[in-house]
Amino acid sequence: MSHVVVVGAGLSGLAAACHLVGDGHRVTVVEREDVPGGRAGRLTRDGFTFDTGPTVLTMPDLIDRPLRAAGSSLAERLDLTLLDPAYRGFFADGSTLEVRHGHEAMRAEIHRECGSLDAAAFDEFVIWLRRLYLAEMGSFIDRNFDRPTDLLANPRAAAQLLAMGGFGRLGPMIRRRFRDERLHRLFSFQAMYAGLAPDEALSIYAVITYMDSIEGVYFPKGGMRAVPEALAGAAADAGAEFRYGTSVTELVRDSSGRVRGVATDDGEQLASDAVVCTVDLPTAYRWWLPDVRPPRAVNGLLGGNYSPSCVVWHVGVRGVADGKAHHNIHFGHQWSEAFDDLLKRGTLMSDPSRLVTMHSLDDEEAAPEGHSTLYVLEPVPHLEVGSIDWEAQSTRDMMRERLLGFLQESGYPTDVVTEELVTPADWRDQGMAAGTPFALAHTFPQTGPFRPNNIDRRVPGLVFAGSGTVPGVGVPMVLPSGRLAAQRVDQMLGRPA
């Protein structure tokens, strides 16, 4: 039986472990933290439990896939609640719009708030989004590429994406379809998940809008942390071994350069036939492959284009907010101009849009009775743009006061019991290149077959997974990343994929 070591028990590593153990490999997962999750982590303090990573869960079938590979299922491991509304949008003019689940409910919301023309436009938009998703998922997202020309392996899908305007720009495409400016924002802010301003993002990333607005947003009982717990439990029950509280210090390579295992901080060497590495890709090269020149700049690792970072303020407060949903997006007056601050000038947004997630509304374990958890996210420049000194206590204090003032103005409770502020410097210290948890931006030269590959043929025996490689950033994309990594391992070891 072949032995595969998976470095990191984040979502991509756990998905890889599920697929690998299901394929008959002996699997050892090495994780530096004491619990699974990686970027989908948790923080427990003063009676509050915070989900510290992704807050939006879509496409649960992509969680079911690795669970089934390990002999389990979504129905067995997770209890999901559909969030309706998925988001509540608050606009600078005092109005609100909700992203409702289901075509008819969302159409009614648009008709009531924006008028009949935009409601009719939404009908056509939904048809376009579904066609885009079907053309894109199998041929462009959920597959391995050996070379850019592999995109032409399915010329019909490539031609369809081109004919649908998938390689145009998202922002202008949304503006052509809808009259109400609020819909421009509500259907394009998802470009930020891909690390780009809506006017710079490719229209293919409207697939994220499809996942949110059409397929629905869910919340698991027990919080977002229940997702990695479910995947880890399924992999362990299928035979995978987990070593928590253990850090990998180096990749063990033989004289030919082939990876033969890993060394850990407890002095042990784990021999293996292959290693799946989920460390942020540029960081993996810097830490463990200093003798290997990273892939060329077009693949983003030399002068690459990184996604913006963010500040996240986890706050446990006394009180419960009225009129707020699980996910709340507060849009500023500005839109395109604010992205210029973030992406070009490298400064804080002069008029920012922010996300506030209240897990405690649907997670009874998150906060004591009569209290709330607030997850407050503001996009900020990554560390290679601008000159904000996130190491300075004065900068952290300024950011805290800025977010506290926003919460007060927006009607949230602000009697703080406990808190944790996470900045780009903290993301960097966790091993995330450029201090961003969103990895390389999905510019055209860093998308699909042009994104850094999950193998480097100069380092046989090593496979990458996670948001820095294919298919890309975020939940649910890192789940297929784990499956694609497991497929690569099978190919390396001469087994049927």
Side-chain angles (χ1 to χ4, degrees), residues 158-462:
Q160 187 176 7
L161 285 174
L162 186 62
M164 293 176 64
F167 298 107
R169 299 297 170 183
L170 178 63
M173 182 274 293
I174 296 292
R175 288 195 293 271
R176 286 194 300 269
R177 289 179 178 272
F178 298 102
R179 295 158 59 99
D180 194 306
E181 184 181 343
R182 294 173 299 171
L183 294 176
H184 301 165
R185 300 185 183 197
L186 208 59
F187 290 140
S188 69
F189 78 87
Q190 294 89 346
M192 285 297 295
Y193 298 158
L196 297 167
D199 279 0
E200 300 298 323
L202 297 175
S203 291
I204 55 174
Y205 289 109
V207 72
I208 308 174
T209 307
Y210 171 82
M211 294 172 180
D212 284 359
S213 303
I214 308 302
E215 290 293 328
V217 174
Y218 296 82
F219 186 70
K221 183 177 181 180
M224 292 292 286
R225 57 195 175 276
V227 176
E229 288 171 354
L231 291 165
D237 288 349
E241 177 187 0
F242 283 80
R243 297 197 179 190
Y244 293 111
T246 303
S247 294
V248 169
T249 56
E250 68 174 301
L251 299 176
V252 177
R253 299 161 67 191
D254 63 20
S255 58
S256 71
R258 184 180 181 86
V259 172
R260 296 293 184 182
V262 301
T264 64
D265 58 355
D266 56 10
E268 187 176 3
Q269 286 197 1
L270 300 176
S272 66
D273 299 284
V275 171
V276 175
C277 175
T278 69
V279 173
D280 199 19
L281 202 60
T283 302
Y285 275 91
R286 187 173 70 251
W287 284 357
W288 296 328
L289 297 170
D291 60 323
V292 180
R293 182 177 174 83
R296 58 195 176 94
V298 72
N299 277 359
L301 296 178
L302 298 172
N305 189 341
Y306 289 95
S307 299
S309 186
C310 64
V311 166
V312 175
W313 192 27
H314 304 288
V315 198
V317 296
R318 294 182 182 89
V320 179
D322 293 326
K324 301 298 191 290
H326 190 109
H327 298 296
N328 306 276
I329 303 176
H330 295 261
F331 293 100
H333 288 277
Q334 297 179 352
W335 190 235
S336 297
E337 302 90 337
F339 290 109
D340 288 341
D341 289 338
L342 187 66
L343 299 168
K344 296 179 181 178
R345 288 184 281 273
T347 62
L348 296 180
M349 288 178 161
S350 59
D351 185 18
S353 296
R354 300 179 174 103
L355 169 70
V356 180
T357 297
M358 299 185 67
H359 288 132
S360 53
L361 289 179
D362 296 282
D363 181 2
E364 60 187 19
E365 301 174 4
E369 186 176 354
H371 295 65
S372 300
T373 58
L374 305 178
Y375 173 111
V376 189
L377 183 151
E378 179 176 328
V380 299
H382 63 71
L383 293 179
E384 295 189 5
V385 176
S387 57
I388 300 173
D389 183 6
W390 293 108
E391 299 281 5
Q393 186 61 44
S394 59
T395 304
R396 298 177 66 88
D397 292 343
M398 174 276 296
M399 199 69 202
R400 181 191 185 277
E401 292 305 308
R402 174 181 169 103
L403 294 177
L404 180 63
F406 153 71
L407 291 177
Q408 291 170 336
E409 293 171 3
S410 303
Y412 293 92
T414 55
D415 185 0
V416 176
V417 177
T418 192
E419 60 184 294
E420 179 81 12
L421 186 76
V422 185
T423 75
D426 299 311
W427 301 125
R428 177 203 60 205
D429 293 344
Q430 293 177 40
M432 300 175 201
T436 173
F438 305 114
L440 298 167
H442 284 266
T443 58
F444 185 81
Q446 296 175 173
T447 291
F450 306 107
R451 198 162 180 81
N453 209 325
N454 55 6
I455 56 171
D456 187 324
R457 299 193 185 281
R458 300 167 297 174
V459 192
L462 179 65

Side-chain angles (χ1 to χ4, degrees), residues 11-134:
L11 295 179
S12 65
L14 293 170
C18 285
H19 285 285
L20 288 164
V21 75
D23 288 342
H25 299 282
R26 183 166 68 90
V27 176
T28 302
V29 182
V30 183
E31 168 56 48
R32 65 185 177 185
E33 302 297 333
D34 294 328
V35 294
R39 298 185 196 187
R42 77 185 73 169
L43 170 67
T44 302
R45 181 179 295 169
D46 300 324
F48 295 83
T49 300
F50 302 93
D51 287 322
T52 60
T55 69
V56 179
L57 177 61
T58 64
M59 306 299 289
D61 60 300
L62 294 180
I63 302 172
D64 189 51
R65 193 173 186 180
L67 289 174
R68 288 190 178 278
S72 186
S73 70
L74 185 73
E76 179 183 336
R77 296 280 174 174
L78 285 170
D79 182 2
L80 299 182
T81 298
L82 176 69
L83 298 179
D84 190 10
Y87 302 93
R88 182 164 292 149
F90 295 85
F91 296 87
D93 63 1
S95 65
T96 62
L97 268 175
E98 294 183 341
V99 175
R100 298 293 311 281
H101 176 68
H103 186 159
E104 292 305 319
M106 190 65 213
R107 190 188 196 283
E109 174 79 1
I110 294 173
H111 189 278
R112 181 173 56 253
E113 298 293 336
C114 309
S116 59
L117 288 177
D118 277 338
F122 180 70
D123 292 334
E124 297 178 0
F125 184 52
V126 169
I127 294 171
W128 181 82
L129 284 175
R130 286 197 172 110
R131 290 178 57 221
L132 181 75
Y133 176 77
L134 291 172

